[in-house]
Amino acid sequence: MTKIEKLDQFLETRGIRVIHKEDSQFMKVLGWVLHFICPDFMENYATSFWGCIWVPQKMWNSLEVRCHEYTHIHDMMDEGDLLYDLRYLFP
């Protein structure tokens, strides 16, 4: 089992799913909405909320990306969604 597979297994035990960003209809819609603000949202940004980590294909094999996004979800669970979102958006 690879390190990525072990991490994904760990994340699953915490109720966190790792999803290909390109396979998600939700991310496609969000990418379309954000296209005018962030044209490379679908290709260059991993995204995490709602207990999911959406990873673009070119970052799929990155252990660092999964760990980084897990940190966001962990912090969100500790602080609560609203407080975390406000703190994240307005540092």
Side-chain angles (χ1 to χ4, degrees):
M1 184 179 285
T2 67
K3 289 180 181 180
I4 296 264
E5 291 169 332
K6 288 179 183 178
L7 179 58
D8 286 352
Q9 190 175 45
F10 167 80
L11 294 171
E12 285 179 22
T13 66
R14 303 294 187 274
I16 300 169
R17 295 184 311 142
V18 180
I19 304 167
H20 280 276
K21 198 171 193 179
E22 296 82 1
D23 294 342
S24 167
Q25 291 301 317
F26 172 67
M27 281 292 135
K28 288 178 183 177
V29 171
L30 188 57
W32 181 81
V33 170
L34 293 175
H35 179 74
F36 302 102
I37 300 168
C38 184
D40 56 348
F41 171 77
M42 286 298 288
E43 297 85 24
N44 293 323
Y45 293 91
T47 309
S48 59
F49 52 90
W50 297 337
C52 296
I53 300 172
W54 289 274
V55 182
Q57 182 59 42
K58 74 183 210 176
M59 297 178 184
W60 188 253
N61 293 319
S62 172
L63 190 62
E64 293 82 5
V65 166
R66 281 172 166 76
C67 290
H68 175 83
E69 295 303 320
Y70 171 66
T71 301
H72 289 305
I73 291 176
H74 185 269
D75 291 347
M76 189 180 300
M77 289 175 174
D78 280 352
E79 297 176 21
D81 290 342
L82 181 60
L83 179 61
Y84 177 80
D85 290 344
L86 290 173
R87 194 176 62 74
Y88 187 78
L89 292 173
F90 305 104

